[in-house]
Amino acid sequence: MIKDLIVILMSAVLVDNYVLNKFLGICPFLGVSKKSDQAVGMGVSVIFVMLVATAATWPIQTYLLDPNGLGYLQTIVFILVIAALVQFVEIFLKKFIPALHKSLGVYLPLITTNCAVLGVTINNISDGYTFVESMVSSLGCGLGFLLAMWIFAGVRNRLEESDAPECFKGMPITLVAASIVSVAFMGFGGIIDKLFA
């Protein structure tokens, strides 16, 4: 059981990284990764929202939608739950951590439309995870999102100091760097199976 949870966690962080492998959550990945502190703040917020969203949506799916034949409402219900949770996080940050709220600014509402959060909640159900496995998967996906944001913030910091050709400055060099980071994460493929086989 513990071994399975470790495999789920490590796979979600490294191998099946939602940003770098599944390409979900690209908007905040590109928008908030200019500074490390903002990237970390956004990553921590996403981890929190993913965990709370999974804790709310898994029981809704398992005990409300599926038994009543309402599984087709999954996406709509999950979007509404996630939107409400993001509003809660925004109110919480505004009241208790105003500096982080101010630094995230317009990007905090992006969590509402962050397809990575919706993708995690739906994939946990479709993968047939139990509640505990779903929570571990969500934690791993959130940590993977945070790791990708933090690494890419460092890469973008270096890009700003580099002397790139004029045609590559701005978003083109950012997208090229993101693809290189994504390819680097492909190197983790198979490592989990070899470590825990």
Side-chain angles (χ1 to χ4, degrees), residues 50-115:
M50 281 185 179
L51 286 170
V52 175
T54 298
T57 56
W58 192 92
I60 289 172
Q61 180 74 34
T62 305
Y63 300 116
L64 181 65
L65 297 180
D66 286 344
N68 294 311
L70 300 173
Y72 61 92
L73 294 174
Q74 178 189 56
T75 303
I76 295 169
V77 170
F78 284 16
I79 288 172
L80 292 173
V81 169
I82 291 167
L85 291 172
V86 170
Q87 291 303 315
F88 168 74
V89 169
E90 187 170 10
I91 291 167
F92 177 83
L93 289 178
K94 190 172 186 178
K95 181 167 179 130
F96 295 107
I97 312 173
L100 180 59
H101 181 267
K102 186 176 180 182
S103 70
L104 290 175
V106 71
Y107 298 111
L108 193 58
L110 282 177
I111 298 175
T112 304
T113 58
N114 187 346
C115 53

Side-chain angles (χ1 to χ4, degrees), residues 5-195:
L5 295 178
I6 292 172
V7 169
I8 290 170
L9 180 71
M10 297 305 294
S11 293
V13 173
L14 299 174
V15 179
D16 296 325
N17 189 294
Y18 267 66
V19 176
L20 300 174
N21 186 327
K22 298 186 180 192
F23 306 110
L24 295 174
I26 295 293
C27 187
F29 175 70
L30 295 174
V32 188
S33 62
K34 291 181 182 177
K35 295 182 181 177
S36 292
D37 58 338
Q38 288 181 352
V40 170
M42 180 69 160
V44 170
S45 298
V46 167
I47 290 171
F48 177 75
V49 170
M50 281 185 179
L51 286 170
V52 175
T54 298
T57 56
W58 192 92
I60 289 172
Q61 180 74 34
T62 305
Y63 300 116
L64 181 65
L65 297 180
D66 286 344
N68 294 311
L70 300 173
Y72 61 92
L73 294 174
Q74 178 189 56
T75 303
I76 295 169
V77 170
F78 284 16
I79 288 172
L80 292 173
V81 169
I82 291 167
L85 291 172
V86 170
Q87 291 303 315
F88 168 74
V89 169
E90 187 170 10
I91 291 167
F92 177 83
L93 289 178
K94 190 172 186 178
K95 181 167 179 130
F96 295 107
I97 312 173
L100 180 59
H101 181 267
K102 186 176 180 182
S103 70
L104 290 175
V106 71
Y107 298 111
L108 193 58
L110 282 177
I111 298 175
T112 304
T113 58
N114 187 346
C115 53
V117 177
L118 180 62
V120 166
T121 58
I122 290 175
N123 284 338
N124 286 337
I125 301 293
S126 64
D127 290 342
Y129 287 155
T130 65
F131 181 76
V132 173
E133 290 171 340
S134 295
M135 293 301 290
V136 170
S137 173
S138 296
L139 176 63
C141 293
L143 289 172
F145 185 87
L146 173 63
L147 179 66
M149 293 280 289
W150 182 69
I151 288 172
F152 199 60
V155 170
R156 286 187 78 172
N157 190 24
R158 295 291 301 262
L159 286 175
E160 288 180 11
E161 298 170 2
S162 69
D163 187 26
E166 192 64 35
C167 62
F168 277 106
K169 288 190 177 176
M171 192 52 69
I173 194 72
T174 301
L175 293 174
V176 169
S179 65
I180 292 170
V181 172
S182 178
V183 168
F185 266 69
M186 288 177 63
F188 292 116
I191 193 170
I192 303 300
D193 293 334
K194 290 179 183 177
L195 285 175

